[in-house]
């Protein structure tokens, strides 16, 4: 599947959809108003952009929205894009930078266990 570049505003809407799907466009706009402070027109414009990108499908009746791209796939692609942009594609450099930040002992232990599983 081809990577679909999603902007921050689009990711906010997709997070609502992934969390609640199937969900009506009206409910998405109510959630976005409450959590992000967006008006209905802004939300509907972004829903339309997501439909144009084939990231979201809207069906009748009630403009029910469902995702066409899995959250895990978007996360993986966005992470790779970040690594490519900031670390010249080096996962080793990314990981080194990540663990050099202030991680708790619990977080370091959890990462160690994840690595050992592989």
């Amino acid at each position: 599947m081809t990577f679909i570049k999603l902007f921050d505003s689009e990711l906010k809407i997709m997070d609502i959809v992934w969390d609640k799907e199937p969900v009506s466009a009206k409910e998405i706009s109510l959630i976005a108003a409450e959590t992000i402070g967006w008006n209905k027109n802004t939300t509907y414009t972004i829903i339309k952009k997501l439909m144009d990108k084939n990231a979201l499908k809207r069906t009748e009746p009630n403009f029910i929205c469902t995702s066409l791209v899995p959250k895990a796939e978007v996360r993986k692609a966005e992470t790779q894009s970040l690594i490519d942009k900031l670390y010249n594609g080096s996962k080793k450099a990314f990981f080194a930078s990540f663990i050099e930040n202030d991680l708790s002992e619990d977080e370091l232990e959890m990462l160690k266990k994840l690595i050992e599983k592989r």
Side-chain angles (χ1 to χ4, degrees), residues 6-50:
L6 298 179
F7 296 104
D8 289 347
S9 59
E10 295 167 336
L11 284 169
K12 288 177 182 179
I13 296 300
M14 289 302 295
D15 277 335
I16 295 169
V17 173
W18 286 320
D19 188 46
K20 304 280 186 186
E21 69 183 319
V23 60
S24 70
K26 180 180 180 181
E27 186 176 351
I28 294 169
S29 72
L30 293 173
I31 293 168
E34 184 179 310
T35 60
I36 309 167
W38 289 352
N39 67 37
K40 183 173 80 171
N41 290 341
T42 300
T43 301
Y44 279 41
T45 298
I46 295 169
I47 288 172
K48 172 83 169 81
K49 288 179 181 181
L50 288 165

Side-chain angles (χ1 to χ4, degrees), residues 11-116:
L11 284 169
K12 288 177 182 179
I13 296 300
M14 289 302 295
D15 277 335
I16 295 169
V17 173
W18 286 320
D19 188 46
K20 304 280 186 186
E21 69 183 319
V23 60
S24 70
K26 180 180 180 181
E27 186 176 351
I28 294 169
S29 72
L30 293 173
I31 293 168
E34 184 179 310
T35 60
I36 309 167
W38 289 352
N39 67 37
K40 183 173 80 171
N41 290 341
T42 300
T43 301
Y44 279 41
T45 298
I46 295 169
I47 288 172
K48 172 83 169 81
K49 288 179 181 181
L50 288 165
M51 291 168 52
D52 291 345
K53 289 183 174 187
N54 291 318
L56 196 65
K57 176 176 71 171
R58 191 178 75 183
T59 57
E60 294 290 347
N62 301 325
F63 295 124
I64 300 299
C65 297
T66 53
S67 64
L68 295 174
V69 291
K71 186 174 189 173
E73 186 178 302
V74 171
R75 278 185 172 167
K76 183 177 180 179
E78 288 288 342
T79 301
Q80 188 59 54
S81 176
L82 175 74
I83 292 168
D84 290 345
K85 182 169 39 175
L86 298 179
Y87 300 95
N88 292 328
S90 171
K91 290 177 182 160
K92 182 179 174 184
F94 167 75
F95 194 71
S97 174
F98 179 73
I99 62 172
E100 285 172 4
N101 290 310
D102 296 327
L103 294 178
S104 70
E105 288 300 317
D106 286 345
E107 291 169 324
L108 287 170
E109 189 61 33
M110 184 189 73
L111 287 173
K112 183 179 175 185
K113 287 179 181 176
L114 286 172
I115 292 167
E116 288 171 349

